[in-house]
Amino acid sequence: MSVPQRHLLVCTGSDCKKRGAKKVCKAFKAALNEADVKKKQVDLIEVECLGQCGHGPMVVVYPDAVWYARLENENAAEIVDRHLVAGQPVSACLFRRAHGPHK
């Protein structure tokens, strides 16, 4: 069994869920399928809480340690295409508390 190159952690805790995390998670699943990203490349994992309530829906990409905040369904395809496929984090969606103002 191969180990995925990246892990996409999607917070589905109560605060993120109120802000649409389940729909965002579905959008990521669809975007990964559309981009033909295999599970051996990216493993999407729903997690109970990422500890950043009030900033969600939250997503973290590991091992890149890139945090995304306040995501909407439309952001999923861009993050999959630009970050997970092309290797360039989407600066407009970054969680500034984790990355600072100029990453």
Side-chain angles (χ1 to χ4, degrees), residues 44-65:
L44 186 145
I45 305 165
E46 294 183 41
V47 297
E48 182 59 33
C49 186
L50 290 171
Q52 300 300 322
C53 296
H55 301 286
M58 299 288 301
V59 168
V60 182
V61 178
Y62 281 110
D64 306 358

Side-chain angles (χ1 to χ4, degrees), residues 94 96 99-103:
L94 290 176
R96 298 295 173 202
H99 297 288
H102 300 294
K103 184 167 183 177

Side-chain angles (χ1 to χ4, degrees), residues 9-92:
L9 307 178
V10 180
C11 183
T12 58
S14 60
D15 188 67
C16 283
K17 192 181 298 183
K18 285 185 230 174
R19 298 169 188 267
K22 287 291 190 178
K23 290 181 181 177
V24 168
C25 189
K26 286 181 185 179
F28 270 104
K29 288 176 184 177
L32 288 166
N33 285 334
E34 180 70 26
D36 199 29
V37 175
K38 306 290 186 229
K39 191 163 177 77
K40 67 182 178 184
Q41 295 169 295
V42 177
D43 190 13
L44 186 145
I45 305 165
E46 294 183 41
V47 297
E48 182 59 33
C49 186
L50 290 171
Q52 300 300 322
C53 296
H55 301 286
M58 299 288 301
V59 168
V60 182
V61 178
Y62 281 110
D64 306 358
V66 172
W67 288 68
Y68 292 108
R70 293 183 172 84
L71 296 181
E72 297 182 14
N73 299 353
E74 300 79 30
N75 302 125
E78 182 178 18
I79 291 170
V80 168
D81 290 341
R82 289 186 47 206
H83 186 164
L84 299 176
V85 173
Q88 296 291 69
V90 179
S91 61

